[in-house]
Amino acid sequence: MGLNSAEKIQKPSKTSIPVLDDSGQLSIDFIVGFTIFMITLILAITMTSGLLVGLQSKKIDYDAVAYRTGVVLVEDPGEPTTIINYPTITEQDEWERIGYDQRDLVKRFGLTAYKSTPRILTVQKVLGFFNPSMWPNLNDYEKRMIFSNYPYHFNVTLKVQGEPPLYVGEPYSINSNYGYIRRIVLVKEESNTDDGAVGGIDSYLYREADPISDPTGEFNVRLDYDTLLNKDWGPTYWIEPPKEDIVINLANVSEIKNDLDSTVTDSTLNTIRIVYYGRLLSGGDATGDLPLPVTAIIDGSSHTFPYPDPFPIEVPVNRTVNITFPAGFFIPPSAYAHIQLISMNISFRFNESTVHLAKHNNVYEYNFGSQGFMAPTLKTGILEVRVW
Amino acid sequence: MVSEEGQLYTIEGVAASILILTTVYLVLSTTTIFTPGESHIYDMQLEQLGNDALAVLDTSPTWSDPYPKSSLELSLEDISKAPEFNTTFLELINSGIGQKPDSIKYNATVISRDSSTGELVRIPYSGSIYHRENAVKVFRWVNIDNTAANGAAKDTENQTVLFEVLLWRG
C-alpha cells in the first residue's frame, strides 16, 4: 500500500489533471447569496443613521433659545440699570447710555423700564438696542442676550404701530428652519408739552392785554419730581426725567412780542437756564443754575446757549423754540449728590423789552393735566425673535 | 455534495429582508415624528402670545384720572363691543412682521358668579366655534363695572370676572 502510494507520487499518472470532487469548494450559489447578504447588511447599516433624522431635536433647541431671548428682551430692564429711589445716577448706571468704548460694562440687554413692568418697553432702550452705530458687531448682541458658546444666528425685529420696523441681526429666509417666538409689547413714548392742539402751552405765552408796569422777560417750565414720579401711576405711566426724554416745544412765540414798541421786530431770547430746587441732606434748601449748556432748536435751526452766560446774547425768536432733553440730562452730577432734588425749572429768559408776558401765569407745569400736555403714550408693537 | 434544495429559499429570504428594510426605512424617514417636547413648544408659543395679547389689551395707552380703563375692561362692560374686540384681538395675535399673517383662531368666554344661585356661569363672549381642535387656554382676571345693563357678566355690580380664551391654529 505504502509502495503503491509512493509510486503514485513519484510517477504521476498519465491523466495529469487530478480528479476533483465537490467537497471544500465554494458554490457559486453561496457566493451570490453571500454577496447579496453583504450588500444588504452594508445598506442596512448605512441606512440606520438616517432612521433617526425625524427625531433630531435641533428645532426644539432653537425654539427654546428664541423663547429665552424674547424673555430677556421683553421682561427685563437689562444690566446695568437703576432701581427707583436712586440718590444719584451716572451715565454708567443705564446700559443704553454706556457708549461703545465702554461696552464691557454692559452685561445684559433688556428693554423694559423695570422688572415690575414686563412687556412695557421704553423708547430710549429700544433706540439704544436697535442702534447699529452703537453696536456694529453682532457678537456683542449674542454675548448680551443669547448667552451661549454655540454660535447661533439671530434676527430680532420690532414693529411699532405706525412706524417702520426696526431690526438687528442677520437676514433670514421665511422658508428656512428657525426657532421663533413672537411677543406683543407696548412701547412707552416720551412726554411732550405740546399735543398740537390749540390752547396748549402757547396759551401761557399770550401777552398781557394791558401795558405792564413791571415787565418780566422770564417764562418757566417746571418739572416737579414728586408729581412726575407719581406712585399711583407707577412706572407704566409716570414721567421719569433720568430715564426718559423730556420734550419742550414752545409754539407761537410771536404772540408775546412787544407790539407796543414799534422798534421791536422779534422777541429775543437772552438765554435758557436750568434752575434746580432741592433740599440738602444736611438740612436747608439749595437752589442754583445747573452748570450745563442748553441746546435748543429756534425757528428750525440749532442754537446752543453756553454756560456761563457770555451776556448779552440776543437770539431772535419768531415762532418756535424746541428743546429735547435726552434721558439722563437731569441726573444730578455727582457734585450734587448731597442734594435731594425737588424740582427743575427750565427758564426761558427773554429780553424783557421785546416781550409782553402775562405775568400771572408764566410758569407751565410739565405734568399731566396741564393744558396741551401730552402724557407718555404706550404704542402697541410686535417683537419677533428668530434663532437658527 | 451541495444540493440545490434550500437555495431558492435563501435568495427569497434575502430579497424579502431587503424589501422589509427598504420599506421600514422609507416609512420612517418620510414621517416627521413629533416628540412630546416639540408639540409642547408650539403650545407654549401660542400660550405666550395669548397672555401677551390679553395683557396688552388690559393696559390703557395713557393715564387718565382716577384710573385708566383698559380696552379689555371697556369691552367687557359693554357686550355690544364684542365685534370690536374680535377685530383687535385677531389682529394682535395674527400679525407677524416678516411673514404671512398667522391663522390663529380663538373663542372667548366670561366666567362670572350668579348671585341668585351662587354658581359660576360661563357666558360666551366672542370668537370662532370650537370643534375640539388642539387648543391652549389662557386666562385673565378683569375688574369690571357691570352696573350697566349691557355688561358681559351676570350680576349688575362691580366685580372681578375670569376672562377665558381658547386659542388654536385653524
Side-chain angles (χ1 to χ4, degrees):
Chain A
M1 183 74 186
L3 186 70
N4 280 348
S5 59
E7 277 176 355
K8 266 185 187 168
I9 296 163
Q10 284 164 2
K11 289 183 185 173
S13 71
K14 282 175 187 171
T15 52
S16 59
I17 301 159
V19 178
L20 300 173
D21 62 9
D22 289 336
S23 59
Q25 296 280 336
L26 285 176
S27 77
I28 291 176
D29 286 344
F30 177 75
I31 292 172
V32 171
F34 186 72
T35 313
I36 292 173
F37 172 75
M38 283 312 288
I39 291 171
T40 319
L41 189 71
I42 291 166
L43 272 176
I45 289 170
T46 49
M47 283 173 172
T48 27
S49 58
L51 278 178
L52 301 172
V53 162
L55 293 170
Q56 64 177 347
S57 61
K58 254 186 175 167
K59 181 77 170 69
I60 298 178
D61 179 50
Y62 288 152
D63 275 324
V65 172
Y67 170 73
R68 186 181 67 197
T69 309
V71 171
V72 165
L73 291 177
V74 170
E75 298 181 22
D76 189 84
E79 199 183 336
T81 191
T82 47
I83 51 162
I84 194 64
N85 288 335
Y86 30 75
T88 173
I89 63 177
T90 66
E91 280 206 330
Q92 275 136 34
D93 292 334
E94 284 285 330
W95 67 258
E96 71 271 23
R97 283 203 294 274
I98 296 175
Y100 188 69
D101 294 337
Q102 287 180 292
R103 62 188 179 281
D104 287 347
L105 294 171
V106 180
K107 300 278 184 295
R108 190 175 66 244
F109 288 135
L111 305 178
T112 66
Y114 291 98
K115 227 179 175 64
S116 58
T117 53
R119 303 183 187 91
I120 300 188
L121 317 184
T122 69
V123 69
Q124 284 75 31
K125 290 194 179 187
V126 165
L127 295 177
F129 178 77
F130 293 98
N131 188 348
S133 61
M134 192 161 155
W135 301 100
N137 196 344
L138 290 183
N139 275 341
D140 287 324
Y141 284 97
E142 222 179 302
K143 272 189 277 177
R144 291 169 178 84
M145 62 178 198
I146 292 181
F147 307 110
S148 169
N149 295 325
Y150 183 83
Y152 289 105
H153 302 265
F154 68 90
N155 182 293
V156 181
T157 312
L158 174 69
K159 172 87 177 74
V160 181
Q161 215 174 31
E163 285 171 31
L166 299 163
Y167 68 91
V168 69
E170 292 173 53
Y172 58 90
S173 159
I174 286 179
N175 300 320
S176 62
N177 202 17
Y178 47 73
Y180 174 71
I181 191 85
R182 180 159 84 238
R183 302 293 307 255
I184 305 168
V185 295
L186 291 165
V187 179
K188 186 182 178 189
E189 308 255 316
E190 68 268 347
S191 48
N192 193 332
T193 54
D194 187 14
D195 62 359
V198 180
I201 191 172
D202 55 341
S203 66
Y204 283 71
L205 285 171
Y206 286 153
R207 62 180 174 272
E208 198 77 274
D210 304 319
I212 307 160
S213 54
D214 179 19
T216 172
E218 195 168 315
F219 177 74
N220 289 289
V221 176
R222 184 164 176 271
L223 283 82
D224 182 349
Y225 278 44
D226 270 354
T227 52
L228 287 180
L229 289 166
N230 190 317
K231 302 283 184 296
D232 289 343
W233 304 356
T236 308
Y237 301 107
W238 73 26
I239 299 157
E240 195 176 358
K243 285 193 176 191
E244 291 168 21
D245 289 4
I246 298 290
V247 184
I248 295 172
N249 289 333
L250 298 189
N252 299 329
V253 177
S254 56
E255 289 289 339
I256 54 167
K257 192 176 72 125
N258 181 2
D259 48 10
L260 297 174
D261 185 346
S262 58
T263 59
V264 175
T265 52
D266 271 319
S267 307
T268 57
L269 197 54
N270 287 141
T271 188
I272 302 172
R273 285 276 73 89
I274 302 161
V275 188
Y276 67 87
Y277 295 90
R279 198 166 293 123
L280 292 166
L281 296 183
S282 54
D285 294 338
T287 181
D289 287 1
L290 274 191
L292 298 168
V294 177
T295 301
I297 311 283
I298 295 172
D299 291 335
S301 53
S302 176
H303 188 94
T304 301
F305 295 94
Y307 187 92
D309 278 342
F311 198 74
I313 304 182
E314 298 275 334
V315 184
V317 186
N318 188 7
R319 290 171 291 109
T320 57
V321 182
N322 306 326
I323 311 180
T324 300
F325 294 106
F329 188 91
F330 295 109
I331 294 171
S334 53
Y336 294 83
H338 59 292
I339 298 171
Q340 190 191 357
L341 280 176
I342 296 171
S343 68
M344 289 277 184
N345 264 16
I346 320 301
S347 178
F348 297 83
R349 293 173 189 166
F350 292 94
N351 180 338
E352 66 228 30
S353 65
T354 65
V355 291
H356 265 174
L357 266 170
K359 210 182 168 193
H360 59 273
N361 62 353
N362 64 358
V363 176
Y364 181 85
E365 285 288 340
Y366 188 94
N367 210 339
F368 192 81
S370 290
Q371 278 182 61
F373 182 74
M374 205 169 83
T377 45
L378 305 174
K379 280 190 177 172
T380 312
I382 307 274
L383 184 117
E384 290 183 331
V385 181
R386 290 176 172 83
V387 171
W388 66 97
Chain B
M1 183 73 190
V2 177
S3 76
E4 288 176 9
E5 286 170 38
Q7 289 280 337
L8 193 61
Y9 296 113
T10 313
I11 293 170
E12 275 178 352
V14 168
S17 68
I18 293 174
L19 274 177
I20 292 168
L21 279 170
T22 316
T23 316
V24 168
Y25 175 77
L26 279 175
V27 166
L28 285 183
S29 61
T30 49
T31 318
T32 317
I33 298 170
F34 276 87
T35 53
E38 207 161 345
S39 60
H40 173 75
I41 289 261
Y42 293 125
D43 287 352
M44 180 274 290
Q45 287 173 338
L46 213 53
E47 220 174 299
Q48 183 69 71
L49 204 60
N51 275 320
D52 277 358
L54 287 183
V56 162
L57 284 177
D58 200 15
T59 310
S60 161
T62 48
W63 178 268
S64 57
D65 279 327
Y67 161 77
K69 279 198 173 170
S70 69
S71 81
L72 183 61
E73 284 165 88
L74 294 171
S75 307
L76 291 186
E77 282 172 11
D78 182 358
I79 204 155
S80 67
K81 285 186 177 159
E84 214 175 292
F85 170 85
N86 180 58
T87 319
T88 323
F89 192 75
L90 279 178
E91 199 188 313
L92 269 186
I93 55 173
N94 281 320
S95 53
I97 309 159
Q99 58 186 33
K100 285 181 290 182
D102 232 324
S103 55
I104 303 169
K105 288 180 178 167
Y106 82 99
N107 180 287
T109 313
V110 176
I111 302 172
S112 76
R113 185 173 173 271
D114 181 354
S115 57
S116 61
T117 60
E119 298 285 315
L120 286 177
V121 283
R122 299 176 59 90
I123 305 160
Y125 186 72
S126 72
S128 319
I129 300 161
Y130 175 63
H131 297 291
R132 306 186 71 81
E133 288 94 344
N134 183 26
V136 296
K137 207 181 264 186
V138 291
F139 301 99
R140 190 156 182 101
W141 291 102
V142 190
N143 298 313
I144 62 167
D145 173 9
N146 208 48
T147 48
N150 233 358
K154 182 78 184 163
D155 294 344
T156 49
E157 58 184 18
N158 278 323
Q159 58 193 290
T160 305
V161 296
L162 186 63
F163 191 58
E164 180 193 284
V165 178
L166 271 176
L167 289 163
W168 68 92
R169 280 177 205 279

